[in-house]
């Protein structure tokens, strides 16, 4: 029986967070690698669309791959690789730039937000920031992925990928599988503990409300205990009017397997809720951090996993990308 093919990735623009784990990586580990033909990628080329430190990108790329393995991704069950190690991603990206329109790329919400921040700096807006959704589409389509596990903020990019796949197939002949976005039911979008209206992002300048996967237990407890709550004293779950409490309850639910609505009734005060959330997060992170320390002491193993994963990913994607080149009218290499 043919298994559904899944592709997902993480950009190495900052240290991975609790939001990355609860919203994506844990699902990869517990569900996707077992029931699907799964490919997971460190999408390092996407980190180059804004001003960056090259050494930091390399360091964070290795750290992300190591944390994937420490979280429980098994190279015997899934394919783990680094985007820049597989040339088919950039080969296909240009063809998709020739399929997309300027208006479609300029309408991307993340482009508008990031471009505004970059304009405020000294380096200007890089062209790649506008065109990178075509590269993201190439990441997905090159591997024939049918499902793309994403957070709410990435659904728009998957929708664009679907549009480009259909347009290419209609114009040049069927080459691509049209993928669909999938999202976990709970904690799909973990919010910043200090600003519960903002996603817990790994590249935020202010780290007080962000729990990183490698934070020490005392650091985790301090950040959770300082989390913003809402007016009133009753612990209730209401995302619209009590976003701070809702965020804490969703994190606790994701860590313990409960339901936010039911967990709210177990706490008489904000303080006891925060204590429970802090300990739940510490326990979720503990085995991952221990395994990360072991893997960091054996970088050769991580390198080997990434090399094997790139070879498998390259072999799978080359047939699809070569077909796209032929379909679009390019002469095959002799």
């Amino acid at each position: 029986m043919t298994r559904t093919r899944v592709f997902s990735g993480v950009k190495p623009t900052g240290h991975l967070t609790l939001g990355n784990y609860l919203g994506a990586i844990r699902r990869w580990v517990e569900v996707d690698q077992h029931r699907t033909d799964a490919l997971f990628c460190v999408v390092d080329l996407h980190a180059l669309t804004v001003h960056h430190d090259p050494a930091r990108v390399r360091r964070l790329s290795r750290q992300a791959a190591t944390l994937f393995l420490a979280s429980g991704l098994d190279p015997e069950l899934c394919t783990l690789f680094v985007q820049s190690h597989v040339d088919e991603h950039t080969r296909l990206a240009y063809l998709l730039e020739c399929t997309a329109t300027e208006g479609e790329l300029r309408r991307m919400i993340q482009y508008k937000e990031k471009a505004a921040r970059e304009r405020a700096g000294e380096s200007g807006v890089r062209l790649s920031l506008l065109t990178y959704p075509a590269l993201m589409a190439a990441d997905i389509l090159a591997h024939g992925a049918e499902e793309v596990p994403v957070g709410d903020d990435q659904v728009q990019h998957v929708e664009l990928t679907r549009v480009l796949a259909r347009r290419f197939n209609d114009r040049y002949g069927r080459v691509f599988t049209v993928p669909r976005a999938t999202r976990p039911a709970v904690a799909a979008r973990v919010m910043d503990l200090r600003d519960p209206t903002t996603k817990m992002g790994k590249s935020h300048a202010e780290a007080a409300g962000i729990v990183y996967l490698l934070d020490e237990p005392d650091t985790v407890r301090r950040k959770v205990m300082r989390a913003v709550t809402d007016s009133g004293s009753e612990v209730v779950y209401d995302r619209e009017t009590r976003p701070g409490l809702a965020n804490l309850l969703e994190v606790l639910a994701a860590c313990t397997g409960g339901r936010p609505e039911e967990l709210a009734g177990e706490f008489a005060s904000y303080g006891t809720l925060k204590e429970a959330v802090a300990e739940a997060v510490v326990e979720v992170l503990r085995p991952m951090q221990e395994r990360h320390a072991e893997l960091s002491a054996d970088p050769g193993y991580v390198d080997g996993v990434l090399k094997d994963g790139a070879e498998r990913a390259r072999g799978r994607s080359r047939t699809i990308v070569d077909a796209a080149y032929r379909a679009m009218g390019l002469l095959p290499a002799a």
Side-chain angles (χ1 to χ4, degrees), residues 55-248:
R56 187 169 186 266
V57 170
R58 283 191 294 270
R59 185 171 64 254
L60 291 176
S61 295
R62 173 176 291 280
Q63 184 185 90
T66 305
L67 280 168
F68 288 172
L69 293 169
S71 298
L73 287 183
D74 184 344
E76 297 297 320
L77 298 176
C78 65
T79 300
L80 174 60
F81 66 104
V82 175
Q83 179 189 31
S84 63
H85 295 176
V86 179
D87 293 343
E88 279 63 34
H89 290 249
T90 49
R91 288 182 62 209
L92 181 56
Y94 181 71
L95 300 192
L96 296 177
E97 287 180 14
C98 295
T99 306
T101 68
E102 178 194 13
E104 287 171 329
L105 300 184
R106 289 193 182 278
R107 283 195 293 272
M108 293 290 103
I109 294 172
Q110 288 207 355
Y111 168 71
K112 294 177 181 179
E113 293 175 349
K114 292 181 179 180
R117 291 198 296 268
E118 291 297 298
R119 289 190 186 98
E122 298 179 356
S123 58
V125 180
R126 301 184 184 193
L127 179 61
S128 56
L129 188 61
L130 175 64
T131 62
Y132 95 89
L135 176 57
M136 182 174 177
D139 297 337
I140 298 165
L141 299 179
H143 299 284
E146 297 160 280
E147 293 184 4
V148 187
V150 292
D152 293 341
D153 58 328
Q154 291 294 335
V155 171
Q156 187 186 31
H157 287 105
V158 179
E159 288 303 312
L160 176 64
T161 300
R162 290 167 57 84
V163 169
L164 297 182
R166 290 194 183 105
R167 184 179 300 155
F168 189 102
N169 290 345
D170 289 344
R171 289 178 178 175
Y172 307 113
R174 182 172 174 79
V175 173
F176 299 125
T177 298
V178 180
R180 61 184 180 274
T182 60
R183 287 172 284 177
V186 177
R189 197 175 192 192
V190 178
M191 311 307 280
D192 190 294
L193 296 176
R194 301 292 291 175
D195 179 6
T197 64
T198 303
K199 187 184 75 166
M200 187 180 284
K202 59 183 179 297
S203 56
H204 289 183
E206 177 54 61
I210 302 171
V211 175
Y212 298 105
L213 297 186
L214 296 178
D215 274 348
E216 295 288 337
D218 286 347
T219 301
V220 172
R221 294 186 183 100
R222 183 174 64 253
K223 289 180 176 179
V224 173
M225 294 306 294
R226 293 177 179 175
V228 168
T229 50
D230 311 287
S231 59
S233 58
E234 184 182 3
V235 179
V236 296
Y237 179 69
D238 186 331
R239 176 174 279 281
E240 294 300 319
T241 63
R242 311 286 284 278
L245 278 177
N247 189 40
L248 290 171

